[in-house]
Structures are given as structure tokens and as C-alpha cells.
Amino acid sequence: MSGIALAGLAWTALLVVLTWLASLARHDVSLVDRVWPLCIVGAGLVYFSLLPGHTPRGLWMAVLGTAWAVRLCVYISARNWGHGEDRRYQAIRARNQPNFAFKSLYLVFALQAVLAWIVSAPFLPGMASARPLGVLDVAGIALALFGIFFEAIGDAQMARFKSDPASKGQVMDRGLWRYTRHPNYFGEVCVWWALWLIAIGGAGWSGAWSIVSPLLMTWLLLKVSGVSMLEGDIGERRPAYRDYIARTNAFFPGPVRKNKVP
């Protein structure tokens, strides 16, 4: 299956190169965030199209992955439309001058392509298996649906909050955001652990290697581009957020903590 796996990598490489060219015209490297989910699910759909036979498990994985990717791509595109380059990428641009336009090809885009390819790992053993659906598959499908809806609800609640002029300067601590500071990230991680469950439901322990996908996604969202990056200096920029941190779990949903001093 190595040839099929490399075909998935070729898809991610093609998409990020095209996005890199668009970023040169737009002067906006953060375009990569919009195609990130399409890179991942696109690799999965390449596997689905090249593997012999389309099993119910493969179809479920294709549908779940596509639903996750399309929703996230549309949400990020709508959220960032007209706002220019994200400040995180502006900082990367400033640190890597001169010639950042070329450097971004490997510092940002090539890196994203490889990471997306790794994250797509569960699709390959899961879609290749002809084993009938079992308990792990049902658990994985249920968890993936939960994660997609949890993430979507969190994003929708934040979008409504930001669109309300009365919310300016306030901290979002309503709905799912009352119980976790990052319901979108929690939902996303659920999706990738779910797809791994489906993969081993089909391939058994021979597909256990694909655990690299949820482990990588969890690490990225907790320690790299997610929680750690977003909250690195937010307490200094927004003092009210310190109180929110003191009473609300960072990732796993949980009860609000009382009588905490920031």
C-alpha cells in the first residue's frame, strides 16, 4: 500500500503548492489554514478511490472525514475573509525576513503538507479492510459524530458572540465555552481518535500504527498551534481572560470552578 500512501502525499503537496502561489499574490500565508482540512481528507479520498472495493467502513470514514473537512474549511474561510494575514503568521513572517515569500514554501506550506499526510493515516488501514463493522466501528462513528457537532456548536457560539457589538471587550464564557476554553479543539481531537478506532476496528492491531494521527493532532492542538499559542500572552492582552482561565478547564469539558483567584 506504499504507492497508495504516496499518492495521498502527492495530493497534499499539490494543494499546498497551489495555495503557496495564491499566498504570494495575496501576501497572506494564513491561507494555508483554509486548505489544511482539505489536505487531510483529500488524502483519505485518494486512498478510497485507489483501494480495491468500497466497503461500508471505507464509506463511513470518507463521509465523516469529508463532513469534518468541509465544515471546518467553510468556517475558517468565512471567519478570516477580509481580515488579511493572521497575526500568528505575521510574527512568523517578521522572524524570517528577508525572502520570506520563498522561505514560507518550506517553513509553512511543505510542513503543513507532511503533517496533513500523517494525520490522514487512519484512512488507509481502515479503508483497506473488508472486515464487517463491529463494536469499535460503532463507537468510532458515534464519537466522530459527537466531535463534529461539538466543534461546530462551539464555533457557531463563538461566531454569534463576536458578531454582537455588546460583546466587545468581554470574554466568551457561555454555552460550551462555559465548560471548556476550547470546545472546538476538544471536538476536533475527538474526531481523530474516533477515526483511529474505526481504523483498528477494521485492520486490528496491524493498523495500530495509525495512532500517530490522533497523537499528532492532540499534540498540535494542545502544545503547538492551538491552546499554547493562543493563550501564550492573552492574559497580558486581556486581563479578564485570567479569571476565565482560573475557573474553566483548558480542554476537557468540566464543571466551572468556584472561588478561584487568577
Side-chain angles (χ1 to χ4, degrees):
M1 291 195 295
S2 59
I4 296 176
L6 290 176
L9 178 59
W11 161 260
T12 65
L14 174 62
L15 187 54
V16 298
V17 167
L18 293 175
T19 308
W20 172 66
L21 293 174
S23 78
L24 297 181
R26 295 281 300 275
H27 199 69
D28 183 358
V29 171
S30 57
L31 291 176
V32 73
D33 288 345
R34 305 182 191 186
V35 303
W36 160 257
L38 301 182
C39 288
I40 298 171
V41 76
L45 294 178
V46 168
Y47 307 149
F48 187 66
S49 65
L50 295 179
L51 286 165
H54 293 163
T55 66
R57 178 178 293 101
L59 186 59
W60 266 110
M61 296 186 81
V63 169
L64 290 169
T66 300
W68 166 82
V70 170
R71 188 211 69 85
L72 186 58
C73 176
V74 170
Y75 173 74
I76 294 175
S77 298
R79 183 191 65 186
N80 296 351
W81 196 268
H83 292 288
E85 190 170 65
D86 185 279
R87 68 182 186 87
R88 294 170 297 167
Y89 290 104
Q90 290 177 3
I92 295 173
R93 180 183 295 276
R95 290 197 303 268
N96 290 281
Q97 295 293 2
N99 301 320
F100 178 71
F102 173 73
K103 292 177 181 177
S104 67
L105 177 59
Y106 58 88
L107 289 176
V108 177
F109 291 92
L111 176 62
Q112 294 275 31
V114 173
L115 292 176
W117 180 57
I118 295 172
V119 172
S120 75
F123 290 117
L124 190 55
M127 291 175 169
S129 173
R131 183 183 298 179
L133 295 176
V135 174
L136 284 179
D137 299 289
V138 173
I141 291 168
L143 181 59
L145 290 171
F146 167 80
I148 291 169
F149 280 105
F150 198 90
E151 182 179 6
I153 291 169
D155 283 339
Q157 290 173 342
M158 178 59 80
R160 285 197 299 271
F161 175 80
K162 288 184 174 181
S163 67
D164 184 357
S167 301
K168 187 175 179 60
Q170 297 185 26
V171 173
M172 172 54 164
D173 59 357
R174 309 165 197 171
L176 297 180
W177 300 81
R178 176 177 173 82
Y179 306 103
T180 166
R181 302 199 301 273
H182 300 280
N184 48 346
Y185 295 157
F186 175 74
E188 188 155 332
V189 165
C190 285
V191 171
W192 292 100
W193 282 102
L195 289 171
W196 179 70
L197 282 178
I198 299 172
I200 62 172
W205 290 111
S206 65
W209 61 269
S210 62
I211 197 174
V212 65
S213 166
L215 286 176
L216 175 60
M217 185 65 86
T218 304
W219 178 68
L220 289 173
L221 290 177
L222 286 178
K223 300 298 183 182
V224 183
S225 61
V227 176
S228 294
M229 178 177 287
L230 289 175
E231 296 192 348
D233 62 349
I234 198 169
E236 299 174 5
R237 294 185 288 108
R238 302 174 61 192
Y241 201 88
R242 291 198 295 269
D243 181 59
Y244 180 52
I245 290 175
R247 67 177 186 268
T248 310
N249 286 357
F251 187 71
F252 290 102
V256 178
R257 298 187 291 271
K258 303 293 185 181
N259 302 319
K260 292 288 185 179
V261 178

